[in-house]
């Protein structure tokens, strides 16, 4: 199992670079960031510095979207970084939540997302692609490589990930839901004539390592990670609006908990102490995140690996970022390697 670190690009950018360097020293192979131009600093500028100051780390957004930049610009940016640093980027992509909504736009359609996946990958790897009726190619690309991994929750999005993407990003670590969604992605890949095993699986979730599993330690860990249930809840709310509260197409294990959700202010997005996530119960934090002593993390990660998860990406938006990176490096990553 590979490991990634996920950060927001809060200023100063040098702090993000420093944490990514720390992650690489601790055995992490991927460095991911949010991509929301209004809420945080521009990630691709920071990627250049991360790549310059690391040796092997692969970097990219978790996730970008096909609406905030034109597709040829996105492809050219990835291809430029790859040309400079040797094919060490990855494109995580989705419909767009905070990046689109904060700017007053709706998330992209799945049809647009599916088209963008192929265009961005083709252009970044030096092939021709049709962009709005115009055939384009980046003539300077040589031996470019850009894996495109898609984030998804709903049935149509899971099917699209299986049909089009090189990898599937699931932003929660509940084993039941992970198994259900991996099956949906791989079934879609097989139906599309692809090798289901070739679609990489990445689970991303907050991880908070406590010294013990005392009630006090677990309570603190839950409060540091409760924001995540609110972030996932934005996507779940879209699913409920589309499919209803009780649908055979979406497990109630995913949708049930948002009944008390009243709204969401993106100014607190992805941050510990988010006041809009009080509706998230402890049970959801425990299911969606990894909390407790290192042994509990190892046990849950072993279960996820058995389900076919290739990478676990640690969301480190809490008060113990350095500690979780170091503990993963000293105890958890060696146990899963």
């Amino acid at each position: 199992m590979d490991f990634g670190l996920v950060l927001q690009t809060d200023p100063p950018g040098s702090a993000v670079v420093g944490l990514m360097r720390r992650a690489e020293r601790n055995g992490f192979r991927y460095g991911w960031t949010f991509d929301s131009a209004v809420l945080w600093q521009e990630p691709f500028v920071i990627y250049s510095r991360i790549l310059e100051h690391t040796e092997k780390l692969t970097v990219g957004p978790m996730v970008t979207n096909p609406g905030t930049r034109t597709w040829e610009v996105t492809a050219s940016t990835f291809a430029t970084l790859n040309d400079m640093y040797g094919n060490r980027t990855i494109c995580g992509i989705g419909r767009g939540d905070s990046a689109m909504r904060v700017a007053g736009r709706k998330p992209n359609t799945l049809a647009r997302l599916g088209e963008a996946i192929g265009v961005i990958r083709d252009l970044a790897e030096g092939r021709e692609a049709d962009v709005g009726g115009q055939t384009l190619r980046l003539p300077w690309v040589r031996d470019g490589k850009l894996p495109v991994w898609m984030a998804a929750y709903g049935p149509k999005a899971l099917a699209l990930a299986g049909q089009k993407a090189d990898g599937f990003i699931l932003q929660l670590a509940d084993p039941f839901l992970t198994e259900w969604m991996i099956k949906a992605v791989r079934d879609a890949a097989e139906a599309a004539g692809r090798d289901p095993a070739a679609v990489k699986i990445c689970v991303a979730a907050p991880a908070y390592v406590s010294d013990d599993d005392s009630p006090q330690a677990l309570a603190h860990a839950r409060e540091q990670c409760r924001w995540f249930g609110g972030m996932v809840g934005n996507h779940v709310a879209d699913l409920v609006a589309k499919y209803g509260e009780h649908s055979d197409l979406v497990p109630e294990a995913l949708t049930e908990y948002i009944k008390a959700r009243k709204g969401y202010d993106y100014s607190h997005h992805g941050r510990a102490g988010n006041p809009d996530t009080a509706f998230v119960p402890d049970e959801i934090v425990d299911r969606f995140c990894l909390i407790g002593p290192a042994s509990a993390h190892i046990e849950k990660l072993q279960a996820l690996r058995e389900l076919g998860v290739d990478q676990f990406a640690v969301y480190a938006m809490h008060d113990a970022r350095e500690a979780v990176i170091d503990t993963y490096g000293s105890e958890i990553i060696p146990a899963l390697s």
Side-chain angles (χ1 to χ4, degrees), residues 106-167:
K106 293 181 180 180
N108 297 270
T109 65
L110 287 177
R112 179 174 172 83
L113 175 57
E115 185 181 358
I117 288 172
V119 169
I120 291 169
R121 181 171 50 212
D122 282 345
L123 289 176
E125 295 185 348
R127 294 184 294 275
E128 288 186 349
D130 182 286
V131 183
Q134 182 77 26
T135 300
L136 301 179
R137 186 176 71 86
L138 305 181
W140 47 268
V141 173
R142 297 290 183 271
D143 301 318
K145 187 67 178 174
L146 182 66
V148 181
W149 293 11
M150 179 183 156
Y153 292 106
K156 292 183 179 179
L158 294 169
L160 180 62
Q163 294 159 4
K164 299 270 190 173
D166 299 303

Side-chain angles (χ1 to χ4, degrees), residues 61-127:
M62 187 179 281
V63 294
T64 192
N65 73 86
T68 52
R69 301 177 185 85
T70 61
W71 302 349
E72 71 274 12
V73 169
T74 298
S76 181
T77 304
F78 278 112
T80 301
L81 291 172
N82 283 337
D83 186 65
M84 293 172 68
Y85 299 106
N87 287 337
R88 290 170 53 203
T89 67
I90 186 168
C91 178
I93 196 168
R95 292 176 59 227
D97 177 34
S98 64
M100 296 296 287
R101 287 179 163 129
V102 168
R105 307 183 190 105
K106 293 181 180 180
N108 297 270
T109 65
L110 287 177
R112 179 174 172 83
L113 175 57
E115 185 181 358
I117 288 172
V119 169
I120 291 169
R121 181 171 50 212
D122 282 345
L123 289 176
E125 295 185 348
R127 294 184 294 275

Side-chain angles (χ1 to χ4, degrees), residues 4 23 61 91 98 109-110 120 133 160 187 190 214 225 239 246 288 309 316:
C91 178
S98 64
T109 65
L110 287 177
I120 291 169
L160 180 62
D187 284 351
E190 185 172 17
S214 66
C225 298
L239 294 177
H246 306 286
F288 285 12
V309 174

Side-chain angles (χ1 to χ4, degrees), residues 63-311:
V63 294
T64 192
N65 73 86
T68 52
R69 301 177 185 85
T70 61
W71 302 349
E72 71 274 12
V73 169
T74 298
S76 181
T77 304
F78 278 112
T80 301
L81 291 172
N82 283 337
D83 186 65
M84 293 172 68
Y85 299 106
N87 287 337
R88 290 170 53 203
T89 67
I90 186 168
C91 178
I93 196 168
R95 292 176 59 227
D97 177 34
S98 64
M100 296 296 287
R101 287 179 163 129
V102 168
R105 307 183 190 105
K106 293 181 180 180
N108 297 270
T109 65
L110 287 177
R112 179 174 172 83
L113 175 57
E115 185 181 358
I117 288 172
V119 169
I120 291 169
R121 181 171 50 212
D122 282 345
L123 289 176
E125 295 185 348
R127 294 184 294 275
E128 288 186 349
D130 182 286
V131 183
Q134 182 77 26
T135 300
L136 301 179
R137 186 176 71 86
L138 305 181
W140 47 268
V141 173
R142 297 290 183 271
D143 301 318
K145 187 67 178 174
L146 182 66
V148 181
W149 293 11
M150 179 183 156
Y153 292 106
K156 292 183 179 179
L158 294 169
L160 180 62
Q163 294 159 4
K164 299 270 190 173
D166 299 303
F168 162 50
I169 297 171
L170 173 59
Q171 295 175 95
L172 55 80
D174 174 74
F176 170 78
L177 291 172
T178 298
E179 183 175 21
W180 189 89
M181 294 188 187
I182 288 175
K183 183 179 186 303
V185 169
R186 289 189 167 157
D187 284 351
E190 185 172 17
R194 306 180 68 197
D195 177 5
V199 181
K200 296 294 185 181
I201 308 295
C202 173
V203 161
Y208 197 99
V209 184
S210 306
D211 292 334
D212 54 48
D213 57 0
S214 66
Q216 295 84 357
L218 292 178
H220 180 75
R222 290 186 183 111
E223 290 311 310
Q224 289 295 305
C225 298
R226 198 175 305 277
W227 63 266
F228 184 66
M231 187 183 83
V232 174
N234 296 330
H235 303 282
V236 176
D238 287 345
L239 294 177
V240 171
K242 184 176 182 65
Y243 296 103
E245 292 186 4
H246 306 286
S247 170
D248 293 337
L249 298 175
V250 184
E252 288 195 15
L254 177 63
T255 61
E256 181 71 17
Y257 83 98
I258 69 161
K259 285 184 176 179
R261 180 181 182 271
K262 293 183 171 62
Y264 195 84
D265 181 350
Y266 280 91
S267 66
H268 307 291
H269 190 54
R271 300 191 185 279
N274 185 336
D276 296 325
T277 61
F279 73 92
V280 179
D282 288 352
E283 179 249 346
I284 288 295
V285 180
D286 293 350
R287 281 173 44 204
F288 285 12
C289 307
L290 277 74
I291 63 172
S295 58
H297 291 241
I298 292 169
E299 181 179 1
K300 191 166 187 177
L301 288 167
Q302 287 173 334
L304 292 171
R305 183 174 62 180
E306 289 175 4
L307 295 174
V309 174
D310 299 292
Q311 180 187 154

